[in-house]
Amino acid sequence: GSWRCRRDLPWQAWGEDYFMTHCMDHIGVGRFSDFGILGDMVCIGSDCGDPGVASFHPFKSIETWHKCWNRANRLPAGSDEEFRSSQV
């Protein structure tokens, strides 16, 4: 369905969260609000080590994203190498 969004929506200047919201609406995916599963540094705070959180937002740099990913996966600080090796 994402091909329909890229074809039909003026998405080029949108951020990923705005794109996902509008794309899901465009292709008819239902939604519900469960802010307990989102770690959002803008509104409610973000604890990357919280096992009850399914998504973390926003981490705009590669470094901050890697730190959060490592913490979510219980890797030691500075474990950039563990992130890379898990992608192979």
Side-chain angles (χ1 to χ4, degrees):
S2 67
W3 63 271
R4 287 177 43 206
C5 298
R6 290 190 308 272
R7 180 192 68 194
D8 299 343
L9 300 173
W11 57 268
Q12 290 80 359
W14 296 352
E16 80 284 350
D17 49 352
Y18 194 83
F19 174 81
M20 288 299 296
T21 298
H22 285 80
C23 181
M24 295 293 188
D25 288 345
H26 182 68
I27 62 175
V29 174
R31 66 165 90 180
F32 64 94
S33 298
D34 183 355
F35 296 104
I37 63 169
L38 171 65
D40 186 344
M41 290 178 19
V42 175
C43 299
I44 59 174
S46 181
D47 177 1
C48 298
D50 183 346
V53 175
S55 175
F56 305 99
H57 184 264
F59 292 96
K60 300 295 184 180
S61 75
I62 293 170
E63 180 183 354
T64 59
W65 186 90
H66 279 186
K67 285 180 182 177
C68 184
W69 189 92
N70 288 340
R71 182 150 186 229
N73 286 282
R74 307 288 194 265
L75 299 174
S79 293
D80 197 37
E81 198 56 45
E82 278 83 349
F83 169 76
R84 286 196 198 108
S85 66
S86 72
Q87 300 303 301
V88 177

